[in-house]
Every structure is written in C-alpha cells, then in structure tokens.
Amino acid sequence: FVNSVVCSFCFRGGAELLFDGVKKHQVTLPCQPEPWDIRNLLKWIKQNLLKERQELFMQGDSVRPGILVLINDADWELMGELDYKLQDQDNVLFISTLHGG
C-alpha cells in the first residue's frame, strides 16, 4: 500500500461556490494500493467535497472545459493531466474561467 498523501486544494473563480464557498482544503488522502493520481483525486473530491451541481465541475472523469488546473503553480497539461501522480504536500488549484451572464 502507498502511504497517505497530504495535499491542499484551492478553488477559485467561482468554483468555490460548488464547495460551500470554501476556497482552501487541506486533505490527507487515505492509503490505497496504487499511487494517487489526478483521476483518482477528482473521484475523491466528487465523493467527499463537492456539494452541489457537479456538472459545473466535472465532465466524465475529468474537470469540465473552462476549469484550469494548476499543480504546484504549473499547468496540469505539462504534468500529465489525469495521470499525474500526487506527491506529499502538492498544491492543486482549480480555477473556473466560466462566468454566468
């Protein structure tokens, strides 16, 4: 089993409204057989943190288009997106660029 991983997640640009208005979460992810990656993390966030209107945050197994994901201040596209393996103390930032009219 892989050790638990401590990470922080931030939600900005309106995404925090889907998480009871809480912008920053410090989380210890439980031990599991394989390393935590962003794909597993999104499932965990959906089950444990997301409070409403999941369609505004998730699309299929990923975040919906219009949500920027930064891992330790770098675009997740440079890090392998859903396959990025989380490290202890990683900081994952979700920024919604979608604004209602």
Side-chain angles (χ1 to χ4, degrees), residues 2-41:
V2 177
N3 289 339
S4 59
V5 176
V6 177
C7 293
S8 60
F9 317 124
C10 294
F11 302 95
R12 298 276 192 276
E16 69 276 5
L17 300 176
L18 304 174
F19 297 90
D20 277 350
V22 179
K23 289 186 176 188
K24 185 162 184 150
H25 299 259
Q26 184 83 16
V27 174
T28 301
L29 298 169
C31 297
Q32 63 174 25
E34 69 267 356
W36 279 92
D37 58 20
I38 296 292
R39 183 177 285 106
N40 291 330
L41 172 67

Side-chain angles (χ1 to χ4, degrees), residues 4-98:
S4 59
V5 176
V6 177
C7 293
S8 60
F9 317 124
C10 294
F11 302 95
R12 298 276 192 276
E16 69 276 5
L17 300 176
L18 304 174
F19 297 90
D20 277 350
V22 179
K23 289 186 176 188
K24 185 162 184 150
H25 299 259
Q26 184 83 16
V27 174
T28 301
L29 298 169
C31 297
Q32 63 174 25
E34 69 267 356
W36 279 92
D37 58 20
I38 296 292
R39 183 177 285 106
N40 291 330
L41 172 67
L42 288 171
K43 286 181 196 160
W44 188 91
I45 287 174
K46 184 170 140 185
Q47 292 168 352
N48 295 281
L49 296 179
L50 190 56
K51 301 296 184 203
E52 58 183 286
R53 300 190 63 188
Q54 97 180 27
E55 73 278 1
L56 293 180
F57 186 71
M58 302 280 300
Q59 186 174 66
D61 286 341
S62 189
V63 293
R64 68 175 279 177
I67 294 184
L68 301 176
V69 182
L70 300 179
I71 302 167
N72 302 324
D73 298 324
D75 189 325
W76 77 324
E77 291 177 4
L78 304 173
M79 314 287 277
E81 298 187 7
L82 293 171
D83 295 323
Y84 173 78
K85 304 279 188 264
L86 286 167
Q87 309 296 313
D88 207 36
Q89 303 303 320
D90 270 354
N91 186 20
V92 184
L93 177 60
F94 299 92
I95 305 171
S96 174
T97 61
L98 308 168

